[in-house]
Amino acid sequence: MFGVVDLPTYLAGLVLIILLPGPNSLYVLSVAARRGVRSGYTAAAGVWCGDAVLMTLSAAGVASLLQANAVLFGIVKYAGAGYLAWLAVGMLSAAWGMWRGRGEERAEETGPAAAPGERPFRRALVVSLLNPKAILFFIAFFVQFVDPGYAYPALSFVVLGAFAQIASVLYLSALIFSGTRLAAAFRRRRRLSAGATSAAGALFLGFAAKLSTASA
């Protein structure tokens, strides 16, 4: 179908990959828990746009360029790691304020890690784009399911990308509505709110460290 081969295997692998926790899904969950469904979907839209850009770049051969150019890969890699670390520091700082009691009123009103002036779409988009491993993944995974003899390989990438986006929409929607349930508990318990924020910050530091040690 449209130059796509072994579609059931692709869908099975896609589900497993989507379910793996990462900075994108964690950020969407965090936004939904703090600010509700609407903001959660705003952040999710940033992820979907970022993924669409990465898929397009992968189809255009940018992933191969990153693999071949160690300097370029390093620039993108450390920029992405730095941005994730910056987000982690902001979360940990907010959690520290909650533990010391300074953020109690805000935690009760908005949940963990409320950030004045935060722009969920932009943050999620940047997190998605500054991830060279995602670009490399898309090209390495997609290419296995494209018929090399098909006359319109771009159409094959569009079909594969559409399935990936549908899976992402379903998964992030589940996270968003789960996050709104967590919000009620966060509002009632300041320690729970601070603990969740600390855990999210620690995970983002872990993502940053993992990305900084990645190789093309």
Side-chain angles (χ1 to χ4, degrees), residues 91-105 107 112-113 189-200:
M91 292 179 180
L92 293 174
S93 177
W96 177 248
M98 293 175 196
W99 285 117
R100 297 193 56 157
R102 294 195 298 265
E104 181 172 0
E105 182 178 352
R189 299 180 178 86
R190 182 170 59 86
R191 288 186 177 182
L192 177 62
S193 178
T197 306
S198 299

Side-chain angles (χ1 to χ4, degrees), residues 12 15 50 125:
V15 169
L125 178 65

